């Protein structure tokens, strides 16, 4: 598997892998056939690994779009072990991550690149895009410095039997490292990770009361569109109509009167 040409160009390969590890929205799914063609063209990925990546691309094309997107979110946004933000594996949510992100962004800027991505600088897709702009030897050295993080991510994905593990393995092998399972610390359950100290109970109760007292039409509209935005399915025109409806609602007017008169509002849902 590792006898492929390590001096071959990797620009298109790294960009293709950056796309494959990205959110599988309609735009990415339209690019999938071309991504596999790019991987074949440069021959920087071993044949066996290329077949795995092709299977992932074909799977994404065949899946129901919402199912593919939900699987992606469940894989990468539900814990630290499978996070695509590489420094999260090192620094977690500590204050040390901020300076590390700044250093990485300055690395991009020193290379003459303006950072304009929607993601943070340590997102793997961003890292791969940057590496694709560098000469092959520098790109491999840059990514090789992250091999320990990439192997931890590979391990977490492989334990889940995730097809995305093949993308991480391909990145490692391009750098000359073996994709191998390593020891990773168990991740706490979601309930434990998000548990709040008892001291927050009163604040939560107060916030709940405040939200419950908000005008129902604006509140429900906000909840609806936040959910759609999170799924990448929002419609700006629909949001504008909802805002206009909220502004014209009797409940919003009642909320204003109640605030001026220093009393509790009486909403009627219209």
């Amino acid at each position: 598997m590792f006898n492929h040409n390590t001096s071959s160009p990797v620009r298109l390969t790294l960009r293709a892998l950056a796309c494959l590890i990205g959110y599988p929205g309609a735009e990415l799914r339209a690019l999938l056939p071309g991504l596999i063609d790019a991987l074949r063209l440069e021959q920087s990925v071993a044949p066996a690994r290329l077949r795995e990546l092709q299977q992932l691309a074909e799977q994404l094309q065949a899946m129901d779009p919402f199912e593919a997107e939900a699987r992606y979110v469940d894989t990468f946004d539900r814990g630290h072990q499978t996070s695509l933000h590489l420094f999260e594996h090192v620094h977690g949510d500590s204050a040390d991550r901020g300076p590390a992100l700044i250093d990485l962004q300055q690395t991009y800027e020193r290379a003459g690149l303006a950072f304009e991505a929607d993601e943070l600088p340590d997102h793997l897709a961003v890292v791969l895009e940057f590496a694709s702009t560098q000469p092959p030897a520098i790109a491999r050295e840059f990514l090789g410095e992250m091999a320990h993080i990439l192997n931890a991510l590979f391990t977490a994905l492989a334990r889940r039997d995730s097809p995305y593990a093949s993308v991480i393995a391909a990145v490692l092998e391009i750098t000359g490292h073996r994709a191998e399972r390593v020891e990773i610390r168990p991740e706490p359950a979601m309930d434990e990770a998000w548990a709040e100290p008892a001291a927050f109970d009163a604040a939560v109760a107060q916030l709940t009361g405040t939200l419950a007292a908000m005008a129902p039409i604006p509140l429900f509209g906000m909840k609806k569109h936040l959910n759609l935005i999170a799924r990448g399915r929002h419609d700006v025109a629909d949001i504008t109509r909802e805002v206009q409806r909220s502004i014209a609602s009797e409940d919003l007017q009642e909320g204003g009167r109640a605030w001026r008169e220093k009393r509790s509002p009486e909403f009627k849902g219209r």
Side-chain angles (χ1 to χ4, degrees), residues 7-233:
S7 64
S8 64
V10 293
R11 181 176 66 87
L12 295 178
T13 299
L14 293 177
R15 290 187 178 181
L17 293 174
C19 289
L20 278 175
I21 204 68
Y23 183 77
E27 184 178 353
L28 182 141
R29 290 195 299 274
L31 295 174
L32 288 171
L35 298 181
I36 300 304
D37 288 343
L39 293 171
R40 289 198 186 100
L41 180 66
E42 289 188 332
Q43 299 183 351
S44 294
V45 177
R49 192 67 70 195
L50 179 59
R51 286 193 294 271
E52 294 175 359
L53 296 174
Q54 183 172 355
Q55 288 170 2
L56 170 60
E58 292 172 350
Q59 186 183 78
L60 290 172
Q61 285 181 300
M63 288 177 72
D64 176 85
F66 294 135
E67 183 183 345
E69 292 165 7
R71 182 182 70 173
Y72 184 89
V73 171
D74 186 60
T75 300
F76 295 114
D77 297 340
R78 294 284 189 260
H80 293 299
Q81 288 184 348
T82 56
S83 174
L84 291 174
H85 292 98
L86 301 183
F87 289 168
E88 194 171 323
H89 294 264
V90 179
H91 303 296
D93 296 321
S94 73
D96 293 334
R97 188 179 172 203
L101 289 171
I102 293 172
D103 287 345
L104 184 58
Q105 182 167 336
Q106 290 175 343
T107 297
Y108 299 158
E109 292 170 353
R110 284 194 296 270
L113 301 175
F115 180 72
E116 299 176 350
D118 293 332
E119 287 288 355
L120 292 172
D122 66 334
H123 191 279
L124 180 56
V126 177
V127 170
L128 292 173
E129 281 282 355
F130 168 73
S132 75
T133 67
Q134 304 302 299
I138 294 177
R140 289 188 170 93
E141 181 181 1
F142 173 73
L143 293 171
E145 292 174 356
M146 305 176 187
H148 61 297
I149 302 174
L150 293 171
N151 261 321
L153 177 56
F154 168 78
T155 300
L157 291 171
R159 285 182 179 178
R160 294 183 176 208
D161 293 323
S162 171
Y164 284 105
S166 296
V167 181
I168 310 305
V171 175
L172 281 161
E173 290 161 3
I174 286 172
T175 69
H177 289 79
R178 182 182 297 275
E180 56 188 358
R181 298 195 183 203
V182 296
E183 285 294 323
I184 53 177
R185 289 180 296 179
E187 192 157 45
M190 288 294 289
D191 289 344
E192 180 182 345
W194 286 91
E196 297 285 4
F200 286 96
D201 289 349
V204 171
Q206 181 180 359
L207 178 59
T208 302
T210 300
L211 290 174
M214 290 175 65
I217 291 176
L219 180 61
F220 294 153
M222 178 176 67
K223 179 180 178 182
K224 168 189 169 183
H225 289 291
L226 283 176
N227 285 331
L228 290 173
I229 290 169
R231 296 185 178 96
R233 296 166 53 195

